[in-house]
Amino acid sequence: MNQNQLALKYFLMFSISIAYIFIYSTFPSYWFRDRVNYVEIAKNSGEMIDYHFSQYDILFHEPIFLYINKILLLFINPQYIPNFFVFFITSSLVFFLFKKANNFTLFLLGILSLIVVPFLFHMQLVVLRQALATVLFILILFYGRKEINILIFLGLLPLVHASFALIFVIYFMYVVLNRRFSNIFYLSVFISLFLFLFFNFAMLVATYLGFYQIGYIKNYELDVSGGAFVFFIFIFISLLYVCRNQRNKINDLAIIFTAIYLLLYFVTPLIGRYMVTFFPFILLSLVERSKIENYAILVVLIVIYSIVSWQSKT
């Protein structure tokens, strides 16, 4: 590729990125569920911080996210703070694609995936708190030099979104066990089985102690179908194949996260909520190499989710 072609490639990627970020960042909040809640959190962040401090439970109410809102409130109308989060999240995701995509075609397939894959769509526009924690996690993985610094940073992310307590456990196990398992398949199965057994034990204890939430979880599980399970078996096998000669943290975590999703799929509906955090790793793994299998998997991914989205609207 000569300099003119390279310049054209980066110009197109940059232009698409700017247009994509601008369009998503300017969507009005009333189009999406939960956006009103984010506006209310922004408006009342100071009062919420004071109240939870007075109740000595501030650490259980995601204080870093509250403080971020309180700081943003000094500069931005609370009505537009969700749009600021969308801007930061979409900018980060596009930057990750820009950094990881092997060529323009893979970058474009990545952008299309951000649009049509429901987990990624919701990440950018609906579940902003979890999405914020996710992009911060990926940023520290990209630029963190020492594992202890990454673990300390990751240990703070449950104070942005509580779901990252589990992500911390997963990553801690990955760091500790990575040197003992040269094969990522065995490592992913071991971590997944540990979480599977731990969750079932926790469910038994919670049922015995009479936690009322258990009834809601069990009733919700009755609606779980196997379609996504079969599809993610395909994703898991594909990731093992395309990442077989390219071990790095993003690829390893994509495989581990997919294995966890598969093992817990029929155990708890809560695992579906983690796909907002898991799926960006899958996408970044798929755009990294310019191989025919990477293109094929991304195209299949885009086509299947496009069909599902179209059928859900008809």
Side-chain angles (χ1 to χ4, degrees):
M1 183 177 292
N2 59 41
Q3 286 191 341
N4 289 336
Q5 290 174 323
L6 195 62
L8 178 61
K9 167 192 165 182
Y10 284 117
F11 172 77
L12 289 173
M13 291 172 70
F14 184 75
S15 300
I16 291 170
S17 300
I18 294 298
Y20 179 84
I21 294 165
F22 174 79
I23 291 171
Y24 268 44
S25 299
T26 53
F27 285 158
S29 290
Y30 63 83
W31 285 5
F32 307 99
R33 61 180 174 87
D34 294 340
R35 282 284 191 91
V36 174
N37 294 335
Y38 286 107
V39 174
E40 291 302 314
I41 289 172
K43 287 179 180 177
N44 303 304
S45 53
E47 291 82 356
M48 293 172 71
I49 290 169
D50 293 340
Y51 173 77
H52 290 300
F53 261 119
S54 70
Q55 299 297 308
Y56 305 105
D57 62 353
I58 185 67
L59 291 178
F60 299 101
H61 290 85
E62 299 162 337
I64 291 180
F65 185 73
L66 292 178
Y67 274 108
I68 291 171
N69 279 272
K70 186 176 180 179
I71 293 169
L72 290 175
L73 201 57
L74 299 174
F75 308 100
I76 305 174
N77 185 307
Q79 196 70 32
Y80 300 110
I81 286 179
N83 298 83
F84 174 83
F85 286 130
V86 172
F87 171 80
F88 180 77
I89 292 161
T90 54
S91 298
S92 298
L93 289 172
V94 169
F95 170 74
F96 300 149
L97 283 177
F98 209 100
K99 186 175 177 64
K100 294 286 284 183
N102 189 273
N103 56 44
F104 176 75
T105 304
L106 287 169
F107 174 81
L108 190 59
L109 289 172
I111 292 291
L112 289 173
S113 299
L114 291 180
I115 295 171
V116 303
V117 175
F119 302 117
L120 298 173
F121 180 84
H122 279 75
M123 175 188 183
Q124 297 167 88
L125 295 169
V126 181
V127 287
L128 306 183
R129 184 164 34 188
Q130 184 178 352
L132 175 63
T134 299
V135 297
L136 291 174
F137 178 36
I138 298 174
L139 278 171
I140 194 62
L141 288 179
F142 275 10
Y143 296 107
R145 298 291 182 181
K146 297 180 179 180
E147 288 295 354
I148 186 63
N149 294 334
I150 296 174
L151 285 168
I152 291 171
F153 185 87
L154 181 55
L156 295 173
L157 289 183
L159 305 180
V160 177
H161 193 272
S163 67
F164 269 75
L166 177 62
I167 303 299
F168 176 84
V169 172
I170 295 169
Y171 188 75
F172 179 80
M173 292 184 66
Y174 168 71
V175 171
V176 171
L177 298 173
N178 192 32
R179 292 182 180 180
R180 297 179 180 271
F181 289 85
S182 58
N183 188 303
I184 185 59
F185 172 76
Y186 295 126
L187 176 58
S188 65
V189 170
F190 182 87
I191 294 175
S192 302
L193 283 173
F194 173 83
L195 292 175
F196 174 82
L197 294 172
F198 175 80
F199 182 84
N200 277 282
F201 174 75
M203 287 281 288
L204 287 173
V205 172
T207 302
Y208 176 76
L209 294 176
F211 283 91
Y212 70 88
Q213 292 93 338
I214 298 301
Y216 294 123
I217 292 173
K218 289 181 177 179
N219 289 336
Y220 190 82
E221 286 177 336
L222 296 175
D223 296 328
V224 174
S225 65
F229 182 78
V230 173
F231 179 65
F232 275 92
I233 289 177
F234 164 73
I235 294 293
F236 181 65
I237 295 171
S238 300
L239 287 171
L240 288 171
Y241 181 73
V242 301
C243 301
R244 64 193 182 280
N245 297 320
Q246 202 157 359
R247 289 285 305 271
N248 58 54
K249 289 178 181 177
I250 297 295
N251 293 349
D252 286 357
L253 289 172
I255 292 169
I256 291 168
F257 288 156
T258 308
I260 291 169
Y261 178 74
L262 288 171
L263 270 180
L264 293 181
Y265 183 79
F266 291 108
V267 177
T268 171
L270 301 178
I271 197 62
R273 297 186 180 186
Y274 277 90
M275 287 307 293
V276 167
T277 297
F278 294 172
F279 215 97
F281 288 85
I282 297 172
L283 179 62
L284 293 175
S285 297
L286 292 175
V287 301
E288 190 172 10
R289 296 169 70 243
S290 182
K291 300 290 184 180
I292 186 64
E293 54 266 26
N294 292 62
Y295 294 105
I297 296 165
L298 283 166
V299 169
V300 168
L301 196 72
I302 291 166
V303 169
I304 287 177
Y305 276 117
S306 296
I307 292 171
V308 170
S309 298
W310 180 76
Q311 288 180 339
S312 67
K313 295 175 182 178
T314 58

PDB file of all heavy atoms in Angstrom, residues 78-95:
ATOM      1  N   PRO A  78     -27.605  18.836  33.044  1.00  0.00           N
ATOM      2  CA  PRO A  78     -27.858  17.419  33.344  1.00  0.00           C
ATOM      3  C   PRO A  78     -28.611  16.688  32.248  1.00  0.00           C
ATOM      4  O   PRO A  78     -28.472  15.477  32.091  1.00  0.00           O
ATOM      5  CB  PRO A  78     -28.674  17.473  34.644  1.00  0.00           C
ATOM      6  CG  PRO A  78     -29.179  18.872  34.751  1.00  0.00           C
ATOM      7  CD  PRO A  78     -28.140  19.730  34.082  1.00  0.00           C
ATOM      8  N   GLN A  79     -29.404  17.429  31.465  1.00  0.00           N
ATOM      9  CA  GLN A  79     -30.141  16.817  30.368  1.00  0.00           C
ATOM     10  C   GLN A  79     -29.213  16.205  29.332  1.00  0.00           C
ATOM     11  O   GLN A  79     -29.581  15.256  28.627  1.00  0.00           O
ATOM     12  CB  GLN A  79     -31.035  17.880  29.699  1.00  0.00           C
ATOM     13  CG  GLN A  79     -32.117  17.323  28.803  1.00  0.00           C
ATOM     14  CD  GLN A  79     -33.210  16.621  29.592  1.00  0.00           C
ATOM     15  OE1 GLN A  79     -33.524  16.996  30.716  1.00  0.00           O
ATOM     16  NE2 GLN A  79     -33.797  15.589  29.009  1.00  0.00           N
ATOM     17  N   TYR A  80     -27.977  16.738  29.236  1.00  0.00           N
ATOM     18  CA  TYR A  80     -27.050  16.291  28.201  1.00  0.00           C
ATOM     19  C   TYR A  80     -25.914  15.435  28.736  1.00  0.00           C
ATOM     20  O   TYR A  80     -25.053  15.010  27.960  1.00  0.00           O
ATOM     21  CB  TYR A  80     -26.484  17.501  27.453  1.00  0.00           C
ATOM     22  CG  TYR A  80     -27.548  18.324  26.777  1.00  0.00           C
ATOM     23  CD1 TYR A  80     -27.877  19.596  27.250  1.00  0.00           C
ATOM     24  CD2 TYR A  80     -28.258  17.813  25.692  1.00  0.00           C
ATOM     25  CE1 TYR A  80     -28.879  20.344  26.652  1.00  0.00           C
ATOM     26  CE2 TYR A  80     -29.258  18.560  25.091  1.00  0.00           C
ATOM     27  CZ  TYR A  80     -29.559  19.819  25.571  1.00  0.00           C
ATOM     28  OH  TYR A  80     -30.555  20.559  24.984  1.00  0.00           O
ATOM     29  N   ILE A  81     -25.908  15.157  30.027  1.00  0.00           N
ATOM     30  CA  ILE A  81     -24.861  14.307  30.581  1.00  0.00           C
ATOM     31  C   ILE A  81     -24.926  12.892  30.001  1.00  0.00           C
ATOM     32  O   ILE A  81     -23.879  12.312  29.680  1.00  0.00           O
ATOM     33  CB  ILE A  81     -24.909  14.318  32.124  1.00  0.00           C
ATOM     34  CG1 ILE A  81     -24.365  15.671  32.631  1.00  0.00           C
ATOM     35  CG2 ILE A  81     -24.116  13.159  32.711  1.00  0.00           C
ATOM     36  CD1 ILE A  81     -24.359  15.846  34.126  1.00  0.00           C
ATOM     37  N   PRO A  82     -26.114  12.281  29.809  1.00  0.00           N
ATOM     38  CA  PRO A  82     -26.136  10.980  29.122  1.00  0.00           C
ATOM     39  C   PRO A  82     -25.517  11.038  27.729  1.00  0.00           C
ATOM     40  O   PRO A  82     -24.838  10.096  27.316  1.00  0.00           O
ATOM     41  CB  PRO A  82     -27.630  10.647  29.050  1.00  0.00           C
ATOM     42  CG  PRO A  82     -28.232  11.364  30.204  1.00  0.00           C
ATOM     43  CD  PRO A  82     -27.466  12.650  30.306  1.00  0.00           C
ATOM     44  N   ASN A  83     -25.732  12.145  27.007  1.00  0.00           N
ATOM     45  CA  ASN A  83     -25.125  12.293  25.686  1.00  0.00           C
ATOM     46  C   ASN A  83     -23.601  12.351  25.774  1.00  0.00           C
ATOM     47  O   ASN A  83     -22.899  11.839  24.894  1.00  0.00           O
ATOM     48  CB  ASN A  83     -25.655  13.546  24.998  1.00  0.00           C
ATOM     49  CG  ASN A  83     -27.146  13.494  24.755  1.00  0.00           C
ATOM     50  OD1 ASN A  83     -27.943  13.804  25.647  1.00  0.00           O
ATOM     51  ND2 ASN A  83     -27.558  13.091  23.565  1.00  0.00           N
ATOM     52  N   PHE A  84     -23.103  12.972  26.849  1.00  0.00           N
ATOM     53  CA  PHE A  84     -21.655  12.996  27.052  1.00  0.00           C
ATOM     54  C   PHE A  84     -21.122  11.578  27.260  1.00  0.00           C
ATOM     55  O   PHE A  84     -20.080  11.208  26.694  1.00  0.00           O
ATOM     56  CB  PHE A  84     -21.286  13.865  28.249  1.00  0.00           C
ATOM     57  CG  PHE A  84     -19.816  13.808  28.588  1.00  0.00           C
ATOM     58  CD1 PHE A  84     -18.911  14.615  27.911  1.00  0.00           C
ATOM     59  CD2 PHE A  84     -19.346  12.939  29.567  1.00  0.00           C
ATOM     60  CE1 PHE A  84     -17.547  14.542  28.205  1.00  0.00           C
ATOM     61  CE2 PHE A  84     -17.996  12.862  29.866  1.00  0.00           C
ATOM     62  CZ  PHE A  84     -17.092  13.671  29.179  1.00  0.00           C
ATOM     63  N   PHE A  85     -21.835  10.782  28.051  1.00  0.00           N
ATOM     64  CA  PHE A  85     -21.403   9.396  28.252  1.00  0.00           C
ATOM     65  C   PHE A  85     -21.431   8.624  26.939  1.00  0.00           C
ATOM     66  O   PHE A  85     -20.522   7.837  26.656  1.00  0.00           O
ATOM     67  CB  PHE A  85     -22.293   8.707  29.283  1.00  0.00           C
ATOM     68  CG  PHE A  85     -22.041   9.135  30.699  1.00  0.00           C
ATOM     69  CD1 PHE A  85     -23.083   9.530  31.519  1.00  0.00           C
ATOM     70  CD2 PHE A  85     -20.757   9.151  31.220  1.00  0.00           C
ATOM     71  CE1 PHE A  85     -22.857   9.925  32.829  1.00  0.00           C
ATOM     72  CE2 PHE A  85     -20.516   9.546  32.526  1.00  0.00           C
ATOM     73  CZ  PHE A  85     -21.571   9.937  33.335  1.00  0.00           C
ATOM     74  N   VAL A  86     -22.469   8.837  26.133  1.00  0.00           N
ATOM     75  CA  VAL A  86     -22.545   8.182  24.823  1.00  0.00           C
ATOM     76  C   VAL A  86     -21.344   8.592  23.972  1.00  0.00           C
ATOM     77  O   VAL A  86     -20.715   7.747  23.312  1.00  0.00           O
ATOM     78  CB  VAL A  86     -23.863   8.522  24.103  1.00  0.00           C
ATOM     79  CG1 VAL A  86     -23.834   7.994  22.666  1.00  0.00           C
ATOM     80  CG2 VAL A  86     -25.051   7.938  24.861  1.00  0.00           C
ATOM     81  N   PHE A  87     -21.017   9.877  23.988  1.00  0.00           N
ATOM     82  CA  PHE A  87     -19.864  10.366  23.230  1.00  0.00           C
ATOM     83  C   PHE A  87     -18.587   9.657  23.670  1.00  0.00           C
ATOM     84  O   PHE A  87     -17.798   9.189  22.835  1.00  0.00           O
ATOM     85  CB  PHE A  87     -19.714  11.880  23.412  1.00  0.00           C
ATOM     86  CG  PHE A  87     -18.438  12.441  22.850  1.00  0.00           C
ATOM     87  CD1 PHE A  87     -18.323  12.694  21.489  1.00  0.00           C
ATOM     88  CD2 PHE A  87     -17.353  12.699  23.675  1.00  0.00           C
ATOM     89  CE1 PHE A  87     -17.143  13.194  20.959  1.00  0.00           C
ATOM     90  CE2 PHE A  87     -16.171  13.200  23.163  1.00  0.00           C
ATOM     91  CZ  PHE A  87     -16.066  13.450  21.796  1.00  0.00           C
ATOM     92  N   PHE A  88     -18.372   9.564  24.964  1.00  0.00           N
ATOM     93  CA  PHE A  88     -17.148   8.934  25.473  1.00  0.00           C
ATOM     94  C   PHE A  88     -17.114   7.445  25.139  1.00  0.00           C
ATOM     95  O   PHE A  88     -16.069   6.909  24.719  1.00  0.00           O
ATOM     96  CB  PHE A  88     -17.050   9.128  26.985  1.00  0.00           C
ATOM     97  CG  PHE A  88     -15.811   8.520  27.592  1.00  0.00           C
ATOM     98  CD1 PHE A  88     -14.587   9.153  27.473  1.00  0.00           C
ATOM     99  CD2 PHE A  88     -15.885   7.303  28.263  1.00  0.00           C
ATOM    100  CE1 PHE A  88     -13.436   8.581  28.008  1.00  0.00           C
ATOM    101  CE2 PHE A  88     -14.741   6.729  28.811  1.00  0.00           C
ATOM    102  CZ  PHE A  88     -13.518   7.376  28.685  1.00  0.00           C
ATOM    103  N   ILE A  89     -18.246   6.768  25.291  1.00  0.00           N
ATOM    104  CA  ILE A  89     -18.306   5.323  25.046  1.00  0.00           C
ATOM    105  C   ILE A  89     -18.098   5.012  23.567  1.00  0.00           C
ATOM    106  O   ILE A  89     -17.285   4.150  23.204  1.00  0.00           O
ATOM    107  CB  ILE A  89     -19.644   4.761  25.550  1.00  0.00           C
ATOM    108  CG1 ILE A  89     -19.706   4.844  27.082  1.00  0.00           C
ATOM    109  CG2 ILE A  89     -19.849   3.313  25.086  1.00  0.00           C
ATOM    110  CD1 ILE A  89     -21.106   4.747  27.639  1.00  0.00           C
ATOM    111  N   THR A  90     -18.836   5.704  22.690  1.00  0.00           N
ATOM    112  CA  THR A  90     -18.699   5.432  21.256  1.00  0.00           C
ATOM    113  C   THR A  90     -17.320   5.835  20.748  1.00  0.00           C
ATOM    114  O   THR A  90     -16.724   5.126  19.928  1.00  0.00           O
ATOM    115  CB  THR A  90     -19.778   6.175  20.446  1.00  0.00           C
ATOM    116  OG1 THR A  90     -19.747   7.577  20.756  1.00  0.00           O
ATOM    117  CG2 THR A  90     -21.163   5.633  20.737  1.00  0.00           C
ATOM    118  N   SER A  91     -16.788   6.946  21.242  1.00  0.00           N
ATOM    119  CA  SER A  91     -15.437   7.358  20.847  1.00  0.00           C
ATOM    120  C   SER A  91     -14.410   6.300  21.238  1.00  0.00           C
ATOM    121  O   SER A  91     -13.498   5.978  20.461  1.00  0.00           O
ATOM    122  CB  SER A  91     -15.064   8.689  21.508  1.00  0.00           C
ATOM    123  OG  SER A  91     -15.921   9.723  21.092  1.00  0.00           O
ATOM    124  N   SER A  92     -14.580   5.750  22.439  1.00  0.00           N
ATOM    125  CA  SER A  92     -13.652   4.720  22.915  1.00  0.00           C
ATOM    126  C   SER A  92     -13.744   3.461  22.056  1.00  0.00           C
ATOM    127  O   SER A  92     -12.728   2.887  21.646  1.00  0.00           O
ATOM    128  CB  SER A  92     -13.941   4.389  24.377  1.00  0.00           C
ATOM    129  OG  SER A  92     -13.755   5.511  25.208  1.00  0.00           O
ATOM    130  N   LEU A  93     -14.971   3.021  21.768  1.00  0.00           N
ATOM    131  CA  LEU A  93     -15.138   1.813  20.964  1.00  0.00           C
ATOM    132  C   LEU A  93     -14.576   1.982  19.558  1.00  0.00           C
ATOM    133  O   LEU A  93     -13.906   1.082  19.032  1.00  0.00           O
ATOM    134  CB  LEU A  93     -16.619   1.436  20.895  1.00  0.00           C
ATOM    135  CG  LEU A  93     -17.231   0.893  22.189  1.00  0.00           C
ATOM    136  CD1 LEU A  93     -18.742   0.742  22.041  1.00  0.00           C
ATOM    137  CD2 LEU A  93     -16.611  -0.444  22.578  1.00  0.00           C
ATOM    138  N   VAL A  94     -14.822   3.132  18.965  1.00  0.00           N
ATOM    139  CA  VAL A  94     -14.286   3.387  17.631  1.00  0.00           C
ATOM    140  C   VAL A  94     -12.757   3.458  17.677  1.00  0.00           C
ATOM    141  O   VAL A  94     -12.066   2.947  16.791  1.00  0.00           O
ATOM    142  CB  VAL A  94     -14.881   4.690  17.050  1.00  0.00           C
ATOM    143  CG1 VAL A  94     -14.137   5.116  15.799  1.00  0.00           C
ATOM    144  CG2 VAL A  94     -16.369   4.498  16.747  1.00  0.00           C
ATOM    145  N   PHE A  95     -12.219   4.062  18.728  1.00  0.00           N
ATOM    146  CA  PHE A  95     -10.762   4.104  18.900  1.00  0.00           C
ATOM    147  C   PHE A  95     -10.190   2.694  19.023  1.00  0.00           C
ATOM    148  O   PHE A  95      -9.142   2.384  18.429  1.00  0.00           O
ATOM    149  CB  PHE A  95     -10.405   4.927  20.131  1.00  0.00           C
ATOM    150  CG  PHE A  95      -8.952   4.824  20.528  1.00  0.00           C
ATOM    151  CD1 PHE A  95      -7.971   5.467  19.787  1.00  0.00           C
ATOM    152  CD2 PHE A  95      -8.576   4.081  21.635  1.00  0.00           C
ATOM    153  CE1 PHE A  95      -6.634   5.368  20.136  1.00  0.00           C
ATOM    154  CE2 PHE A  95      -7.245   3.977  21.996  1.00  0.00           C
ATOM    155  CZ  PHE A  95      -6.266   4.616  21.246  1.00  0.00           C
TER     156      PHE A  95
END
